[in-house]
Amino acid sequence: MIAEKIILGIDPGTAIMGFGLISVKKGKMEMVSIHELILKKYPNHETKLKYIFEKTLALIDEYHPDEVALEAPFFGKNVQSMLKLGRAQGVAMAASLYRNIPITEYSPKKIKMAITGNGNASKEQVAGMLQNLLNLKEFPTKYLDASDGLAVAVCHHFNSGTITDTKSYSGWDSFLKQNPDRLK
């Protein structure tokens, strides 16, 4: 068994891109860091892609993740938005592959289901459950895109077969019933 695994989760975006890093030691998760890249201020899509690549590489070089997990773009009605999101995801993937780090994609519904037990959960519900799962007194960022990056990392851990706890939860009520000591 690996002593420690670092997972970088990425929520691609063209306005705000979220990054979350977790460490897994002996099946226990701990948040390492959380970041957001504010892209709204840049004048064009090409400049945004450059900063996405640079930020992803910088995080990889600083934290040396063993694996990278990304949220896959969802299918929407706006083709231009999907194209831009796909490019943002592709650039993050390219940065990861450039450093020879394996990548995995998860659909937004799968991520929400892994974290909350509800594939239609709100961003706020996901952030609340992450706060509980990672024993955070308060959430370290105001941007839910950053918490979504953290959710991707946690989802990847839950789906990698390394989790030691085999309990399953269908939502907040189920989680709290099985873990009354986690309620503060």
Side-chain angles (χ1 to χ4, degrees):
M1 184 177 191
I2 299 172
E4 177 183 24
K5 181 178 6 179
I6 305 287
I7 301 170
L8 169 59
I10 302 174
D11 177 34
T14 55
I16 300 173
M17 191 145 175
F19 300 88
L21 287 123
I22 62 168
S23 167
V24 181
K25 296 177 191 170
K26 298 180 181 175
K28 295 202 182 235
M29 290 183 297
E30 183 177 305
M31 186 184 81
V32 174
S33 189
I34 191 167
H35 299 266
E36 60 272 333
L37 178 59
I38 310 299
L39 297 161
K40 296 181 243 190
K41 60 187 173 187
Y42 297 111
N44 58 54
H45 192 62
E46 294 78 16
T47 303
K48 292 177 182 185
L49 294 175
K50 174 185 178 281
Y51 284 111
I52 291 168
F53 188 82
E54 290 175 352
K55 178 69 170 183
T56 306
L57 274 183
L59 290 171
I60 289 169
D61 291 344
E62 181 176 354
Y63 294 102
H64 307 287
D66 299 290
E67 298 169 3
V68 172
L70 295 107
E71 182 174 309
F74 58 91
F75 295 101
K77 292 183 179 181
N78 187 330
V79 176
Q80 285 301 312
S81 293
M82 281 187 54
L83 179 63
K84 288 179 180 179
L85 269 177
R87 287 177 181 165
Q89 181 197 31
V91 167
M93 291 170 96
S96 303
L97 294 171
Y98 185 72
R99 292 289 192 247
N100 296 311
I101 300 172
I103 56 174
T104 306
E105 290 182 81
Y106 296 96
S107 71
K109 277 193 178 285
K110 182 160 183 127
I111 295 164
K112 291 174 182 180
M113 184 63 118
I115 304 303
T116 68
N118 175 4
N120 295 314
S122 68
K123 287 180 175 275
E124 292 80 9
Q125 288 172 313
V126 171
M129 187 60 98
L130 286 171
Q131 187 174 348
N132 201 327
L133 286 169
L134 296 168
N135 295 317
L136 304 173
K137 287 185 179 17
E138 59 184 48
F139 215 80
T141 180
K142 66 179 182 175
Y143 295 104
L144 292 175
D145 302 271
S147 64
D148 284 350
L150 190 60
V152 178
V154 172
C155 172
H156 182 66
H157 169 60
F158 285 165
N159 284 280
S160 67
T162 59
I163 187 136
T164 56
D165 183 6
T166 57
K167 293 180 183 177
S168 64
Y169 311 107
S170 60
W172 275 107
D173 292 336
S174 173
F175 176 84
L176 292 173
K177 282 179 188 170
Q178 293 183 41
N179 299 282
D181 56 319
R182 301 286 292 274
L183 183 63
K184 293 187 169 84

